[in-house]
Amino acid sequence: MTGYLLSAFIYLCAACIAVPVAKRLGLGSVLGYLVAGVVIGPVLGLVGSETTEIQHFAEFGVVMMLFLVGLELEPRMLWTMRTRLLGLGGLQVLATSALFAGAALLLGLGWRQAIAIGLLLSLSSTAIVLQTFSEKGLGGTEGGRSAFSVLLFQDIAVIPMLALIPLLAAPGLLSDSDHGAGHGELSLVAHLDGWAYALVVVGAVAAVIGVGHFLSRPLFRFVAETGLREAFTATTLALVIGIAVLMSLVGLSPALGTFLAGVVLATSEFRHELETDIEPFKGLLLGLFFITVGAGIQFPVLQENLAVVLGLTAGVMLVKGLILFGLAMLFGIRRSNGWLFALSLAQAGEFGFVLLSYSQQNHVLEGELVSVLALVVALSMFLTPLLFILYDALVMPRYEDNSGQREADHIDSRGPVIVAGSGRFGQVVNRLLRANNIGTVVLDRNPAQVQNLRNVKIPSYFGDATRPDLLHSAGIEEASLFVVAIDDRAQAVELVKHLKHAHPKLPVLVRAFDRLHHYELEDVGADFVVYEAYHSALEMGTEALRRLGYHPFRAEKLRVAFDEQERRGRAKLYEAWREKSEGEKYGTTHTELYIQLNETMAQIMRADRDDGHTRLERGWTPPPRGYSDKLADVDPDAGGSGGA
Amino acid sequence: MSLEKRVLVLFAHPSLERSEVNHDLLNATRSVEGVTLIDLYAEYPSFRIDIDCEQQRLRDHDVVVFMFPLYWYSTPAILKEWQDLVLEYGFAYGHEGTELQGKWFLCAFTAGGRESAYREQGHNHYNIRELLRPLEQTATLCGMHYLPPFGLFGARSALEEGRVAAHVEGWRRLLGQLRTGELEPRRAREFEQLQHYLEQAEVTQ
Ligand SMILES: Cc1cc2nc3c(=O)[nH]c(=O)nc-3n(C[C@H](O)[C@H](O)[C@H](O)COP(=O)(O)O)c2cc1C
């Protein structure tokens, strides 16, 4: 036990030092984990042989990752991206794999190894590239969007690749004690005939889709209604692990199963909550995985093969870049966008490691070759920031004069409005925005409410908007506005505080319940606060005046005058409230303070009225009877004008 | 020209998103230094004009410009509302209403009709100076110096005929001249349109 805890401690420490440093340097977290692994493994020798074991465990992070990839795949989005996804992505993976496989053959490797190498080198680093895009604001450019399509295709392509690799297992190598992917584990299908096996497989896939589609939603709703976060998390984990187990039992790739489940749940109202729940587990496990990769790097191998590794890395990046550039030309991605596309994706990626370790387990690739390839993949990832620097320094200046194009690119990537809380209030806000084709993401923590909204085709998600991680998966980084209309006053204040702290530039509009709430919200930095009932009550009051015989326009003027007074008073009251001590503001004296404030308000109103009834109805006052409109004759050229 | 004049442009266009000319005029005005530009429909979307604030603005400037597309031979509604509310007795007119005395007043319009239609024989029967008489007389009653209107005719086809840029440029130049006060209201007053005066002034120079 202590031993395990000690290594866990070492891994975590290494991660929490290396990852922030790597991020600061613009290298991305994947490289941070790798470096951490290198430090605790080959450099300091703190961890040793157990890494391979941990690696197998950590690979479950990949399964979770594919679940998340699946969740992101809304069919509608896929459909709009179809040309780029299949065209760009498909051709990139095919051409790159074929070229590298061919090269491997020429270098004298067997065809099985050659295919595995081709596949693993064809992938790029989703993690590094997307992170860099969002840091540099390139995601909305044509080059950025095209690169995203390719990365997405690669992420999906990993699934068939994982299925393919065991089939490549070299017969010579397989004769070892254990059996490929089977590993002598539990299996339901080991003794079945071909047709029965096929039936079981189809049945299992159907079960995943069926459960995902029909059973999971009532289940999630049931669990969500308890309001217990951890119960929901447990359910989510159970779902993912359960599917993975089922898939292994029937001899299919667990990644495929969870990916399918993810796709099925992509349109569900629980999507963001699921993402939020799985994300930390995935992050940790993948991090662990990359650390073990780093720890497994063999320095002697590097020293012996330094020239080979460097040469291979340069070759891999050059070839990938050229293929990408060719594709950019083919698909009309021109100018700076073409360069961005080619340079950003020219590295190998984290899935390369996954395929590598999978190939090793399945005895497709072995020995020094694995170490060399791991070094090539890692090195190419380390060089990626360099490619972006190249882009900034050499490519951008050449196209700077054509800046109009860049701007246009940014306009259509205006982020959505996030509406937190969709009760009676949030709904109206949301409907007005949607009626004008403004994209919104609605969050609510009442599953029944979310269901109602979805019934009328308003995209809504279940989740507690006060959780930063949920906000993240709802796309807060790209959001252009945030509307807070949740029905818990304390939480609304907390949420605004968090938003203004973590995203100071994001404008936040908030619904307040009453005057005190209004002040509290203003105090924590809300950009716009509106009283929940104020405007409808004013409407009602004006109608009352009309029904009492006031001319409708007079009633309107009185309403306006009242509203203006109220606003003035509100501003003064806010000042008075701010001057109160913290204890008075938030302490037990709420009611007392409320009464005080109301009295002050009444005083202000009275003073305003005494100051002149005329003020209140000032507009359109006719001149006094019998006034003289004779004016002193004005000399048009007098008064400082002077001639030219 | 010791002191620069402070120019206030009150702009009114209720559907800017469809505008082809005023949109550019607005942007051009924005970029001229020392000119205060108020987009009235933006500031008072529900016509709740703040009388005190508007009167203070008038006090703070020497030249007042109404900038608008011609709607029914007059201004869009908010400019009329602005007059009805802001030009109060005791402020703009009446015995003690002398706040506007000696300031300059100018209309900068765009009109859908061709200039040839704004003639006695044309189908609008009156020229633009005549049609804007109510504004001229309002300015005069408030003791202001009325400058003839500056405008663009045939505004609905100006974009495709490539006339917008030149007009915007002319407007920018005029704003500069208003700033330095190098116009002569007494002489300008004789012309139907300000352009005619400006062209003539250029010739005589
Ligand atoms: C309600 C309305 C009334 C109009 N009345 C006139 C008019 O009386 N005389 C005229 O020449 N053009 C008239 N027009 C045309 C506008 O003056 C013309 O559309 C505008 O100057 C174009 O400028 P913009 O592209 O910046 O909107 C009218 C337009 C509208 C919408």
Side-chain angles (χ1 to χ4, degrees), chain A residues 400-415:
Chain A
E400 209 83 277
D401 49 1
N402 194 262
S403 52
Q405 195 192 4
R406 221 175 121 83
E407 284 215 345
D409 269 335
H410 277 273
I411 290 170
D412 69 313
S413 63
R414 178 177 68 181

Side-chain angles (χ1 to χ4, degrees), chain A residues 131-199:
Chain A
Q131 190 194 326
T132 315
F133 278 173
S134 86
E135 273 164 17
K136 296 186 184 269
L138 294 167
T141 63
E142 199 198 340
R145 282 198 304 250
S146 308
F148 177 74
S149 318
V150 171
L151 289 170
L152 187 59
F153 182 87
Q154 292 178 353
D155 287 354
I156 302 173
V158 167
I159 295 159
M161 291 183 190
L162 287 176
L164 184 66
I165 283 175
L167 305 180
L168 293 175
L173 294 168
L174 247 186
S175 60
D176 288 0
S177 58
D178 50 10
H179 261 266
H183 268 309
E185 285 174 357
L186 277 171
S187 171
L188 279 181
V189 291
H191 313 292
L192 290 180
D193 298 338
W195 63 269
Y197 175 65
L199 217 64

Side-chain angles (χ1 to χ4, degrees), chain A residues 445-459:
Chain A
R445 53 169 192 176
N446 174 353
Q449 182 65 31
V450 172
Q451 188 52 47
N452 289 342
L453 287 174
R454 292 193 142 234
N455 288 344
V456 292
K457 300 262 180 299
I458 296 177

Side-chain angles (χ1 to χ4, degrees), chain A residues 553 559-560 563-564 567 615 618-624 627-629 631-632 634-644, chain B residues 1 5 48 51-52 55 81 84-85 88-89 93-95 101-102 104 140-143 145 181-187 189:
Chain A
F553 193 63
R559 174 242 276 275
V560 168
D563 184 32
E564 262 154 27
R567 274 165 210 263
R615 253 187 85 92
R618 173 173 175 190
W620 304 278
T621 313
Y627 77 107
S628 145
D629 57 1
L631 290 160
V634 195
D635 175 6
D637 282 339
S641 57
Chain B
M1 261 41 60
K5 288 191 177 291
R48 282 162 62 165
I51 300 176
D52 285 323
Q55 292 184 343
E81 186 86 327
D84 297 351
L85 289 170
E88 280 181 321
Y89 177 80
Y93 71 104
H95 207 62
Q101 299 237 341
W104 294 2
T140 308
L141 181 83
C142 297
H145 308 307
E182 64 193 73
L183 294 172
E184 298 164 281
R186 199 198 287 279
R187 280 193 47 217
R189 196 163 57 178

Side-chain angles (χ1 to χ4, degrees), chain B residues 161-177:
Chain B
E161 290 166 14
R163 290 184 285 121
V164 174
H167 180 70
V168 170
E169 195 38 49
W171 169 241
R172 212 196 300 262
R173 216 170 327 120
L174 173 58
L175 277 178
Q177 288 166 334

Side-chain angles (χ1 to χ4, degrees), chain A residues 201-215:
Chain A
V201 167
V202 172
V205 170
V208 168
I209 295 176
V211 167
H213 202 75
F214 297 106
L215 270 180

